[in-house]
Amino acid sequence: MRMDNLSFGADGTDPSANTNGISLINGKRKPPVDPEKSVAVLGTGDYGRAIARRLVNNGYTVFVGSRDPNRNKIKQMVRDTGASLTTQESAIASCDVVIVAVGRDYYDYLPLQSLRAKILIDVSNNTEPRRGPHYRSNAEYLQGLVQDAKVVKGFNVLSAYALENGGLQGSKEVFLAGDHSDAKTRVSEMVRMMGFHPVDWGSLQAARDIEDVPLRLMPSWKRPVLVVFGVFLFLWFLAFMSFQICYNIKNGDWSKMWKHIALQNFNRVLGITSLWILSFCYLPGLLAAYIQLWRGTKYSRFPKFLDDWLKMRKQLGLLMLGMASMHGCMSVAFVTPKTTEWVYEAPRQILAQVVVDANTTTTDTITIYDSELNWRGEIFLACGAISLCLLVVLGITSLPSVTATLSWREFTFVQSKLGWVALVVAALHDIFLAWNFMIDYWSCFQTFPIGPQYALYPVFIAIVMKIPLLLPPVDNYLQKIRRGYERKSEYEVSKSQVA
Amino acid sequence: MRMDNLSFGADGTDPSANTNGISLINGKRKPPVDPEKSVAVLGTGDYGRAIARRLVNNGYTVFVGSRDPNRNKIKQMVRDTGASLTTQESAIASCDVVIVAVGRDYYDYLPLQSLRAKILIDVSNNTEPRRGPHYRSNAEYLQGLVQDAKVVKGFNVLSAYALENGGLQGSKEVFLAGDHSDAKTRVSEMVRMMGFHPVDWGSLQAARDIEDVPLRLMPSWKRPVLVVFGVFLFLWFLAFMSFQICYNIKNGDWSKMWKHIALQNFNRVLGITSLWILSFCYLPGLLAAYIQLWRGTKYSRFPKFLDDWLKMRKQLGLLMLGMASMHGCMSVAFVTPKTTEWVYEAPRQILAQVVVDANTTTTDTITIYDSELNWRGEIFLACGAISLCLLVVLGITSLPSVTATLSWREFTFVQSKLGWVALVVAALHDIFLAWNFMIDYWSCFQTFPIGPQYALYPVFIAIVMKIPLLLPPVDNYLQKIRRGYERKSEYEVSKSQVA
Amino acid sequence: MRMDNLSFGADGTDPSANTNGISLINGKRKPPVDPEKSVAVLGTGDYGRAIARRLVNNGYTVFVGSRDPNRNKIKQMVRDTGASLTTQESAIASCDVVIVAVGRDYYDYLPLQSLRAKILIDVSNNTEPRRGPHYRSNAEYLQGLVQDAKVVKGFNVLSAYALENGGLQGSKEVFLAGDHSDAKTRVSEMVRMMGFHPVDWGSLQAARDIEDVPLRLMPSWKRPVLVVFGVFLFLWFLAFMSFQICYNIKNGDWSKMWKHIALQNFNRVLGITSLWILSFCYLPGLLAAYIQLWRGTKYSRFPKFLDDWLKMRKQLGLLMLGMASMHGCMSVAFVTPKTTEWVYEAPRQILAQVVVDANTTTTDTITIYDSELNWRGEIFLACGAISLCLLVVLGITSLPSVTATLSWREFTFVQSKLGWVALVVAALHDIFLAWNFMIDYWSCFQTFPIGPQYALYPVFIAIVMKIPLLLPPVDNYLQKIRRGYERKSEYEVSKSQVA
């Protein structure tokens, strides 16, 4: 798809000046180019060529402007894109829309005069987030250089690879920012024609955020992952000391030392961690409520740790859901009448003649396990399944497209009401599993609680904190504060104003 | 972030009149305010302050208009937002965009004359849905009061909490309605700058629906939840009578009366209910087809119950999926050679010396179960897994973002074709499980069918109704009707016109 | 809801000419019609009536234009919609917006002169995709006929059924295309008022794609489904020969020939196929890397098979996830100490007195299985659960609404890094399951590898291909090429230009 720019006459430029490119290769004349569908690209680097190629493939006439359009190397590279290679000035003169595909360091060397009154698309990225009180994004810097131009930030969230492959797999969204809505509309249309989805992020100042997007690697997940990992390690260490070391010291049998590391111990810690983290999703909200009650206002800042904690809840919840699912998945295959004998009907022991080899038998005691759950086992398993299903529902309502269909009231109902039910049912799951061991201690260290007990500690704290808030007078007062009521008297206000 | 409104000169108002607020607190002069980025907020309540704070944090200059801007209490409350407090008239005069954050009852007391030619954003909500033939939304009422203004409905779906926290967890969508598209564009940009997603719902009349959104609590789920719950209760009662009461009467053994309530009985009823509800997703479509065939047209209203039923199918399907998943989850842990002996290889009974205590043994018969599934068991389990996986695929295509990528033909293919396969496979799952009991009766009441039998009744009805519709002549005729053909003759038409 | 068009006076047409319809049926006068809210529909077919009915229900005044508005049949059909029936010319004259609801073959017979300067909405569909170098969409053809009109493509993705029911279940998106953005804005507003979501696909040329949407039946899934099905059949055949035929020849026992077909064999093949297909998601990327390293550039086309393969990865991955989930679901219910004895503690054989009937016993050897996993079993199961959970995370990030929230870097991190971990862990799952059989052969054919061995072949190839790419010099060089570097020398460039 080569374009013949000989016949191009938009903007009154002399197209005959524009023959230093590869425009005559086909020797065919094309009909006059639609000015709405012609774009200049400044810069012959990888990104410039990728965007030029994509534009050409979507029916645009593209003029790639180079500072050195006669170099063979550049000619060859640009030819493959189907765009016309020319000088920067000539490319700019031919089009209303100019894509600036050079680094910020080179902005000063652009033909700034000729860029006036054009729509400039800044596609640049940074290699690291740069911030400070006086920081300006690349796009704002460009706008500062050419104040008469209409700068639009865009495309930087797409890699050259995504441009070449139509974003086949990743997000197809292109974030735009700019102070000129007519320019943004024009660029939006171009984005759509190229097969992507334009998303307007507002004024050019938003370019600061847009330029950080490609550098982002799940910033909101880092802290929650660390918290969950830390809790898991701590609980794993406790379980390792209790169920492996301590148990084997007591039994004097070290042969099984490593045997249950991979699954039994791991699975147990997954379960306990899930219960802790699920409580951790509700504890900060309770703390916040008490602080609001104490201070008598919602207009005071929470301590920073609480603020961070409140913002982590969604991620904590999703990580918890992953662990709870893995726990469920492992448990159904692994919980057997032998491993968790106490939730099944009592096994029976028989004296049997065990076959040693073809000719020898020896009399030994053999345990015949019963695969029927007892009543505690039935409740234990039912609670686990119900709790997991409720948590999956919570997970589904966290999917962006589902959240978007829920009103604030509906979202709160699911995340709060259903979540509390899941928490209580999960605690019952733990209680009915370990019914017989709720007053047990470490086998070698008789004052230390075991897993199923400390699994319940945060749930217990959460429930104890929740109950007073359910009392109608407390609840009403909290609702009043949350609607904006402040307890502080006029007198105190005046005093704080003086101070 | 305090704004100095001394230097504000937009709209030709005299800024020196505007010094009754807190604008000089910092004693610093700021550069002239951008008229595009200044907003007036009328009302100093919780919501008005929340929206003012959010605007200030996003770079807007905000003038909060109060009827009593000199009260200390109000001064103190507004100061925290970073907005300037002033009189209502003065705030309005300073800005093109005015957010009306007072209740509908106070609209009449606003300085209506000065609101003319402004863009008014109505953020009000109702406490209950008010409807009637002459009902007008708050936004329409405001538009009626100030006919020269451009009223835009918006923000009401965000709570003050969401505004303060950027909708961190819930939906970020802000629904807009208005008769003036330039005003809507301006407000859309503001919504975006504040970090939310504007969604245009059309003309101002749509405000009626938008004002109901925050009051909504899953209205489309109420009826399906009731139906599913009713069906579950009914089937649970039947199972309770059959498997608990009747079985124990027959056996004369009441010791196991409550033992299997939590899981075995619950799980069985979950399975049966899932099969019923899955059939209920396909029955209304079949009924509708027969009604269309009978009437010879698609242009006649279905009976109301059928209309409601057709609209419930998605919710019924999702509730069914939840129950089927829980059933699968419980079953894999619970189905053992002892509980469902008949789908496993035959157990063997041995005469064994059972250990009673260290010194005593007694001879007793012990059953040694075989954990290998027989061929029926293999088919039963495979069908269950296949059916559940197909239903999960149906569930995934019901996610809004996945549905949006499917054409009508693709969606129908998945929901109808795959759904029917899932229904038939689920029925086979039931049949192969209960192969030995398909002609059995209640143990104490010899004419009553048992669970695995009545589980199949609605499936059976659905399949019997479906088969004739698969015959090519019937299918073609139905397709013809659905493309708009009407059997009614010209004669009948004329007659009905006369009548 | 009938409209009285007597009082309609927009566009200077004489409304009294417009009394041939059903407009006087109610005998009531309505207030003047808002020209913004009146639409003409040309065509009285099923689709025209459906769109007319929907418009009327959403507050529009609709004029259905027919070539024969006096036929009783047509009168009766249109009356039900609540629209006014009139001649084509009269309907067009009354409105700015005209919906053309007749087939492409009838476009030439429309009153083309009167359509000039109108906004025309082309709602037509094709019955099969028509393509060729000179193909024009229906909408482009219509624009060609009436060059002064503003043609907008739209609504064709909604069936008449969807229009009548508000797209209750399927996608609510309406794709628009057109060269006139004011016309598109007007139609967008109309789409929103009708309860659907307008999505702008760009210029009128995009109508070619939009007209293909309703004919689409998951085109991107056809090839991957075939590939997966083919691989499954091939592996099933191998497993059938090995585990059924060969095993039974060796044992001389044909009684179990069909017994394990439904589940054991099926489940085994599901597992092996999942591992193969998961490898197939990573192999094409590795091949592409080697081709780029070899050619020293990323600007050369891959062979077509590789291009197709790269584009299939998402679908392959999702199909694999479905199979892996089914494999997990079946396995947890099915893996028992008897069926996979080697991952459990050693069973014991006893000589027991087996009860034959009430009076007879016979001495027989009975195997008492141990339901405790051995250490290999624990690792096997843990790896399976971890791998499946990671694959589910990959699946979730493939949901459109989740993908859209991820930056390119985040998406690649999840799909590539996490995916490779899942692949390696899934391979370990296979290895630890079949630890004892990794050097085994088919029982009757001593040179042929068994399932758990050939399951690993593609994983092995992938890992062997991956390792060199992880070496820093190779990795750096590949990154350089992917940033646009080309190894080709200037000399070679010139030569190829000459050639």
Side-chain angles (χ1 to χ4, degrees):
Chain A
M1 211 173 167
R2 300 280 149 68
M3 296 294 146
D4 182 348
N5 60 5
L6 267 184
S7 53
F8 183 81
D11 295 315
T13 56
D14 179 7
S16 62
N18 198 10
T19 52
N20 49 2
I22 52 164
S23 52
L24 276 170
I25 282 173
N26 289 341
K28 281 186 285 187
R29 280 189 170 262
K30 291 265 171 66
V33 166
D34 177 0
E36 287 277 328
K37 302 267 283 180
S38 62
V39 175
V41 175
L42 304 186
T44 57
D46 184 35
Y47 202 81
R49 275 138 58 208
I51 211 165
R53 184 179 289 115
R54 179 121 203 131
L55 282 164
V56 167
N57 288 341
N58 286 283
Y60 280 84
T61 308
V62 181
F63 299 90
V64 172
S66 165
R67 281 188 294 170
D68 196 359
N70 290 313
R71 271 182 62 203
N72 276 338
K73 177 82 184 167
I74 289 174
K75 276 186 188 175
Q76 198 269 345
M77 287 194 311
V78 172
R79 187 173 52 182
D80 289 343
T81 63
S84 307
L85 182 63
T86 171
T87 60
Q88 292 193 336
E89 285 77 6
S90 168
I92 295 167
S94 314
C95 311
D96 297 339
V97 177
V98 179
I99 295 174
V100 179
V102 302
R104 176 180 182 150
D105 297 341
Y106 300 94
Y107 285 1
D108 297 291
Y109 306 107
L110 292 172
L112 298 174
Q113 277 305 316
S114 29
L115 289 174
R116 296 174 63 175
K118 301 284 180 183
I119 294 171
L120 305 185
I121 307 180
D122 181 305
V123 300
S124 66
N125 266 325
N126 300 323
T127 47
E128 53 188 87
R130 275 178 293 181
R131 277 295 133 85
H134 303 296
Y135 176 73
R136 286 198 301 165
S137 61
N138 299 344
E140 287 169 294
Y141 178 72
L142 181 61
Q143 183 74 78
L145 289 178
V146 205
Q147 301 197 356
D148 296 340
K150 297 175 173 179
V151 174
V152 176
K153 182 80 208 176
F155 291 103
N156 66 310
V157 293
L158 296 175
S159 66
Y161 178 85
L163 276 168
E164 278 153 8
N165 294 281
L168 246 175
Q169 297 195 297
S171 171
K172 287 178 159 248
E173 296 193 344
V174 169
F175 307 136
L176 302 179
D179 291 331
H180 306 273
S181 52
D182 56 330
K184 277 197 287 191
T185 306
R186 181 88 178 264
V187 177
S188 293
E189 180 79 354
M190 207 172 104
V191 170
R192 256 183 234 114
M193 291 294 291
M194 291 166 80
F196 298 99
H197 303 311
V199 179
D200 188 344
W201 277 33
S203 75
L204 197 61
Q205 196 182 308
R208 296 174 195 180
D209 294 323
I210 296 179
E211 288 177 9
D212 277 348
V213 169
L215 299 169
R216 216 176 59 186
L217 191 59
M218 316 212 177
S220 62
W221 286 86
K222 279 196 186 117
R223 202 188 294 251
V225 165
L226 280 178
V227 167
V228 170
F229 192 67
V231 170
F232 182 88
L233 271 191
F234 170 69
L235 292 171
W236 192 88
F237 177 75
L238 277 185
F240 181 77
M241 293 309 288
S242 159
F243 293 102
Q244 309 274 341
I245 303 293
C246 211
Y247 185 80
N248 293 329
I249 287 175
K250 186 72 181 178
N251 285 15
D253 171 12
W254 291 87
S255 66
K256 294 188 170 179
M257 176 64 198
W258 300 109
K259 204 185 139 188
H260 296 304
I261 288 288
L263 189 68
Q264 198 164 331
N265 210 36
F266 180 56
N267 187 41
R268 174 184 285 134
V269 180
L270 277 181
I272 302 175
T273 312
S274 301
L275 206 46
W276 276 42
I277 301 294
L278 181 55
S279 314
F280 288 2
C281 294
Y282 291 97
L283 281 173
L286 294 166
L287 268 180
Y290 279 99
I291 289 178
Q292 289 177 341
L293 282 173
W294 176 259
R295 296 187 179 162
T297 174
K298 69 167 188 179
Y299 297 109
S300 67
R301 275 226 150 291
F302 293 132
K304 190 172 174 315
F305 84 92
L306 185 56
D307 229 45
D308 290 342
W309 195 357
L310 285 162
K311 282 174 189 157
M312 257 194 273
R313 286 177 295 174
K314 180 178 173 178
Q315 285 78 14
L316 287 178
L318 291 173
L319 289 169
M320 180 275 306
L321 178 57
M323 286 192 303
S325 306
M326 222 189 283
H327 171 69
C329 191
M330 283 176 178
S331 299
V332 287
F334 160 81
V335 169
T336 62
K338 189 180 172 192
T339 53
T340 50
E341 173 186 330
W342 57 91
V343 289
Y344 287 89
E345 292 298 313
R348 297 171 88 179
Q349 290 193 304
I350 59 171
L351 275 185
Q353 281 183 283
V354 178
V355 179
V356 177
D357 57 45
N359 304 313
T360 331
T361 63
T362 166
T363 301
D364 201 356
T365 309
I366 286 202
T367 309
I368 305 294
Y369 291 97
D370 190 318
S371 64
E372 187 182 358
L373 289 161
N374 59 23
W375 69 272
R376 283 195 310 279
E378 292 224 335
I379 298 181
F380 145 72
L381 197 53
C383 286
I386 292 171
S387 178
L388 186 55
C389 282
L390 287 177
L391 293 175
V392 168
V393 171
L394 262 77
I396 290 172
T397 57
S398 297
L399 289 173
S401 69
V402 179
T403 306
T405 65
L406 297 175
S407 75
W408 185 256
R409 198 178 158 210
E410 290 165 341
F411 184 78
T412 309
F413 171 78
V414 172
Q415 296 284 329
S416 171
K417 293 282 191 310
L418 286 194
W420 270 99
V421 173
L423 179 63
V424 170
V425 175
L428 291 176
H429 166 72
D430 176 90
I431 289 170
F432 279 96
L433 169 65
W435 191 264
N436 299 332
F437 307 107
M438 286 322 250
I439 49 165
D440 247 21
Y441 297 105
W442 284 24
S443 33
C444 67
F445 185 27
Q446 287 294 330
T447 54
F448 223 85
I450 57 168
Q453 293 169 41
Y454 55 70
L456 294 173
Y457 290 175
V459 187
F460 187 73
I461 296 172
I463 292 173
V464 164
M465 288 177 75
K466 180 74 177 177
I467 288 168
L469 299 180
L470 295 174
L471 301 174
V474 182
D475 184 42
N476 290 341
Y477 192 66
L478 186 61
Q479 295 312 319
K480 200 168 142 191
I481 287 173
R482 288 191 171 160
R483 278 191 303 273
Y485 167 82
E486 298 188 74
R487 193 169 55 223
K488 226 180 212 179
S489 70
E490 285 279 338
Y491 168 75
E492 283 171 303
V493 172
S494 317
K495 209 176 59 176
S496 77
Q497 277 175 323
V498 171
Chain B
M1 210 172 167
R2 300 281 149 66
M3 296 295 145
D4 182 348
N5 62 5
L6 267 182
S7 53
F8 183 81
D11 297 315
T13 56
D14 179 5
S16 62
N18 199 10
T19 51
N20 48 3
I22 54 162
S23 53
L24 275 170
I25 282 174
N26 289 341
K28 281 186 284 188
R29 280 189 169 261
K30 290 267 171 63
V33 166
D34 177 1
E36 287 277 328
K37 302 267 284 180
S38 61
V39 175
V41 175
L42 304 186
T44 57
D46 184 36
Y47 203 82
R49 274 139 58 208
I51 211 165
R53 185 179 290 116
R54 179 120 203 132
L55 281 164
V56 168
N57 289 341
N58 286 283
Y60 280 84
T61 308
V62 180
F63 300 90
V64 173
S66 164
R67 281 188 293 171
D68 196 359
N70 290 313
R71 271 183 61 203
N72 276 337
K73 177 83 184 169
I74 289 174
K75 275 187 191 177
Q76 197 268 344
M77 288 194 310
V78 171
R79 188 174 52 183
D80 289 343
T81 64
S84 307
L85 182 64
T86 172
T87 60
Q88 291 194 335
E89 285 76 6
S90 167
I92 295 167
S94 313
C95 310
D96 297 338
V97 176
V98 179
I99 295 174
V100 180
V102 302
R104 177 180 184 150
D105 297 342
Y106 301 94
Y107 286 0
D108 297 291
Y109 307 107
L110 292 173
L112 298 174
Q113 277 304 317
S114 28
L115 289 175
R116 296 174 65 175
K118 301 284 180 183
I119 294 171
L120 305 185
I121 307 179
D122 182 304
V123 301
S124 66
N125 266 325
N126 299 324
T127 46
E128 52 187 87
R130 275 177 295 182
R131 277 296 132 85
H134 303 296
Y135 176 73
R136 285 197 303 164
S137 61
N138 299 343
E140 287 168 294
Y141 178 73
L142 181 60
Q143 182 73 77
L145 290 177
V146 205
Q147 300 198 356
D148 295 341
K150 297 174 173 181
V151 174
V152 176
K153 181 80 208 177
F155 291 104
N156 66 311
V157 292
L158 296 175
S159 66
Y161 178 84
L163 275 168
E164 279 153 8
N165 295 280
L168 247 174
Q169 297 196 297
S171 171
K172 288 178 158 248
E173 296 193 344
V174 168
F175 307 136
L176 302 178
D179 291 332
H180 307 272
S181 52
D182 57 328
K184 277 196 287 190
T185 306
R186 182 86 179 264
V187 178
S188 293
E189 180 77 355
M190 206 171 106
V191 171
R192 256 182 234 115
M193 290 295 290
M194 291 165 81
F196 298 98
H197 304 310
V199 179
D200 189 345
W201 277 33
S203 73
L204 197 61
Q205 196 183 308
R208 296 173 195 181
D209 295 322
I210 296 179
E211 289 177 7
D212 277 349
V213 169
L215 299 170
R216 215 176 62 186
L217 191 59
M218 315 212 178
S220 62
W221 286 87
K222 278 193 187 120
R223 202 189 294 250
V225 165
L226 280 178
V227 168
V228 170
F229 191 66
V231 169
F232 182 88
L233 271 191
F234 170 68
L235 292 171
W236 191 88
F237 177 76
L238 277 185
F240 181 76
M241 292 309 288
S242 158
F243 293 103
Q244 309 274 342
I245 303 293
C246 210
Y247 184 80
N248 292 328
I249 287 175
K250 186 73 182 178
N251 286 15
D253 171 13
W254 291 86
S255 67
K256 293 188 170 180
M257 177 63 200
W258 300 110
K259 204 185 138 188
H260 296 303
I261 288 288
L263 190 68
Q264 199 164 330
N265 209 36
F266 180 56
N267 188 42
R268 174 185 284 133
V269 180
L270 276 182
I272 302 175
T273 312
S274 302
L275 205 46
W276 276 43
I277 301 293
L278 182 54
S279 313
F280 288 3
C281 295
Y282 292 98
L283 282 173
L286 293 166
L287 268 180
Y290 279 98
I291 289 178
Q292 289 176 341
L293 282 173
W294 175 260
R295 295 185 179 163
T297 174
K298 69 168 186 177
Y299 297 108
S300 67
R301 275 225 151 292
F302 293 131
K304 190 173 174 317
F305 84 91
L306 185 55
D307 229 44
D308 290 342
W309 195 356
L310 285 162
K311 281 176 188 157
M312 257 195 271
R313 286 176 295 172
K314 181 178 173 177
Q315 285 77 14
L316 287 179
L318 290 173
L319 290 169
M320 180 274 306
L321 178 57
M323 287 192 303
S325 307
M326 222 190 282
H327 171 69
C329 192
M330 284 176 177
S331 299
V332 287
F334 160 81
V335 169
T336 62
K338 189 179 173 191
T339 52
T340 50
E341 175 186 327
W342 57 92
V343 290
Y344 287 88
E345 291 299 313
R348 299 171 87 176
Q349 288 192 306
I350 61 171
L351 275 185
Q353 283 184 283
V354 178
V355 178
V356 177
D357 57 44
N359 304 313
T360 332
T361 62
T362 166
T363 301
D364 201 356
T365 308
I366 286 202
T367 309
I368 306 293
Y369 291 96
D370 190 318
S371 65
E372 189 183 357
L373 289 161
N374 59 23
W375 69 271
R376 282 195 310 280
E378 291 225 334
I379 299 181
F380 145 71
L381 198 54
C383 286
I386 293 172
S387 177
L388 186 56
C389 282
L390 287 177
L391 293 176
V392 168
V393 171
L394 262 77
I396 291 172
T397 57
S398 297
L399 290 172
S401 69
V402 179
T403 305
T405 66
L406 297 175
S407 74
W408 185 256
R409 198 179 157 209
E410 291 166 340
F411 184 78
T412 309
F413 172 79
V414 171
Q415 297 283 331
S416 170
K417 294 281 191 310
L418 286 194
W420 271 99
V421 173
L423 180 63
V424 170
V425 176
L428 291 175
H429 166 71
D430 177 272
I431 290 169
F432 278 96
L433 169 65
W435 190 264
N436 299 333
F437 308 105
M438 287 321 251
I439 48 165
D440 246 22
Y441 296 104
W442 285 24
S443 34
C444 67
F445 184 26
Q446 288 294 331
T447 53
F448 223 84
I450 59 168
Q453 292 169 40
Y454 55 70
L456 294 173
Y457 290 176
V459 188
F460 186 72
I461 296 172
I463 292 174
V464 165
M465 287 176 76
K466 179 74 175 177
I467 288 168
L469 299 180
L470 294 174
L471 300 176
V474 182
D475 184 43
N476 290 341
Y477 191 66
L478 185 61
Q479 294 313 319
K480 201 169 143 190
I481 287 172
R482 288 190 173 162
R483 277 193 304 271
Y485 166 82
E486 298 187 75
R487 193 170 54 226
K488 228 181 212 177
S489 71
E490 285 279 339
Y491 169 74
E492 285 172 302
V493 171
S494 317
K495 211 173 58 173
S496 76
Q497 278 175 324
V498 172
Chain C
M1 213 172 162
R2 299 280 148 66
M3 295 296 145
D4 182 348
N5 61 5
L6 266 183
S7 52
F8 183 80
D11 296 314
T13 56
D14 180 7
S16 62
N18 198 12
T19 52
N20 48 3
I22 52 164
S23 52
L24 277 171
I25 283 174
N26 289 341
K28 281 186 285 188
R29 279 191 170 260
K30 290 268 171 63
V33 166
D34 177 0
E36 287 277 328
K37 301 268 284 180
S38 62
V39 175
V41 175
L42 304 186
T44 57
D46 183 35
Y47 203 81
R49 274 138 58 208
I51 210 166
R53 185 179 289 116
R54 179 118 203 134
L55 283 164
V56 168
N57 288 342
N58 287 283
Y60 279 84
T61 308
V62 181
F63 300 90
V64 173
S66 165
R67 282 188 292 170
D68 196 359
N70 290 313
R71 271 182 61 203
N72 276 338
K73 176 84 183 169
I74 289 174
K75 276 187 189 176
Q76 198 267 347
M77 288 195 310
V78 171
R79 187 173 53 182
D80 289 343
T81 64
S84 307
L85 182 63
T86 172
T87 61
Q88 292 194 336
E89 285 76 6
S90 167
I92 295 167
S94 314
C95 311
D96 298 339
V97 176
V98 179
I99 296 174
V100 179
V102 302
R104 177 179 183 151
D105 297 341
Y106 300 93
Y107 286 0
D108 296 291
Y109 307 106
L110 293 172
L112 299 174
Q113 276 306 315
S114 29
L115 289 174
R116 296 175 64 175
K118 301 284 181 184
I119 295 172
L120 305 185
I121 307 180
D122 181 304
V123 300
S124 67
N125 267 326
N126 299 324
T127 47
E128 53 187 87
R130 275 177 294 182
R131 277 296 133 86
H134 302 297
Y135 176 72
R136 285 198 302 164
S137 61
N138 298 343
E140 287 168 295
Y141 178 72
L142 180 62
Q143 182 74 77
L145 290 177
V146 205
Q147 300 198 356
D148 295 340
K150 297 175 174 181
V151 174
V152 177
K153 181 80 208 178
F155 291 104
N156 67 309
V157 293
L158 296 175
S159 66
Y161 178 84
L163 276 169
E164 279 153 8
N165 294 280
L168 247 176
Q169 296 196 297
S171 171
K172 289 179 159 246
E173 297 194 343
V174 169
F175 307 135
L176 302 179
D179 291 331
H180 307 273
S181 51
D182 56 330
K184 276 197 288 190
T185 306
R186 182 89 179 264
V187 177
S188 293
E189 180 78 354
M190 207 171 105
V191 170
R192 255 182 235 115
M193 291 294 290
M194 291 165 80
F196 298 98
H197 303 311
V199 179
D200 189 344
W201 277 34
S203 73
L204 198 61
Q205 196 183 306
R208 296 173 194 179
D209 295 323
I210 296 178
E211 289 178 7
D212 277 347
V213 168
L215 300 169
R216 216 175 60 186
L217 191 59
M218 315 212 177
S220 62
W221 285 87
K222 278 194 188 121
R223 203 188 293 250
V225 166
L226 280 178
V227 168
V228 170
F229 191 67
V231 170
F232 183 88
L233 271 191
F234 169 68
L235 291 171
W236 193 88
F237 178 76
L238 277 186
F240 181 76
M241 293 307 288
S242 159
F243 293 102
Q244 308 274 343
I245 303 292
C246 210
Y247 185 80
N248 292 329
I249 287 176
K250 186 73 182 178
N251 285 15
D253 171 13
W254 291 87
S255 66
K256 294 187 169 182
M257 177 62 200
W258 300 108
K259 205 184 138 189
H260 296 305
I261 287 288
L263 189 68
Q264 199 164 329
N265 209 36
F266 180 56
N267 188 42
R268 175 185 285 133
V269 180
L270 276 182
I272 302 175
T273 311
S274 300
L275 206 46
W276 275 44
I277 300 294
L278 182 55
S279 314
F280 288 2
C281 294
Y282 292 97
L283 282 173
L286 294 166
L287 267 180
Y290 279 98
I291 289 179
Q292 289 177 341
L293 282 173
W294 175 260
R295 294 187 180 163
T297 175
K298 68 167 187 180
Y299 297 109
S300 66
R301 276 224 151 291
F302 294 131
K304 191 173 174 314
F305 84 92
L306 186 56
D307 229 44
D308 291 342
W309 195 358
L310 285 163
K311 282 174 189 158
M312 257 195 272
R313 286 176 296 174
K314 180 178 173 179
Q315 286 77 16
L316 287 178
L318 290 173
L319 289 170
M320 180 274 306
L321 178 57
M323 287 192 304
S325 306
M326 222 190 282
H327 171 70
C329 192
M330 283 176 176
S331 299
V332 287
F334 161 81
V335 169
T336 62
K338 189 179 174 193
T339 52
T340 50
E341 175 187 327
W342 57 92
V343 290
Y344 287 89
E345 291 299 313
R348 298 171 88 177
Q349 290 193 304
I350 60 172
L351 275 184
Q353 282 184 283
V354 178
V355 178
V356 177
D357 57 46
N359 304 313
T360 331
T361 63
T362 166
T363 301
D364 200 355
T365 309
I366 286 203
T367 309
I368 306 293
Y369 291 96
D370 191 318
S371 64
E372 188 182 356
L373 288 161
N374 59 23
W375 69 271
R376 282 195 309 278
E378 290 225 336
I379 299 181
F380 144 72
L381 197 54
C383 286
I386 293 172
S387 178
L388 186 55
C389 281
L390 287 177
L391 293 177
V392 168
V393 171
L394 262 77
I396 291 172
T397 57
S398 297
L399 289 172
S401 69
V402 179
T403 305
T405 66
L406 296 175
S407 75
W408 186 253
R409 198 178 158 209
E410 291 166 341
F411 184 78
T412 309
F413 171 78
V414 172
Q415 297 284 331
S416 170
K417 293 282 190 311
L418 286 194
W420 270 99
V421 173
L423 180 63
V424 171
V425 175
L428 291 175
H429 165 72
D430 177 90
I431 290 170
F432 278 96
L433 169 65
W435 190 263
N436 299 332
F437 308 106
M438 286 321 250
I439 49 165
D440 247 23
Y441 296 105
W442 284 24
S443 33
C444 68
F445 183 28
Q446 288 294 331
T447 53
F448 223 84
I450 58 168
Q453 293 170 40
Y454 55 70
L456 294 174
Y457 290 175
V459 187
F460 186 72
I461 296 173
I463 292 174
V464 165
M465 287 176 75
K466 180 73 176 176
I467 288 168
L469 299 181
L470 294 174
L471 301 175
V474 182
D475 185 42
N476 290 341
Y477 192 67
L478 185 61
Q479 294 313 317
K480 203 169 141 189
I481 287 173
R482 288 190 172 162
R483 277 193 304 270
Y485 167 81
E486 298 188 72
R487 195 170 53 224
K488 227 179 211 179
S489 72
E490 284 279 338
Y491 169 73
E492 282 171 303
V493 171
S494 317
K495 210 175 58 176
S496 77
Q497 275 176 325
V498 171

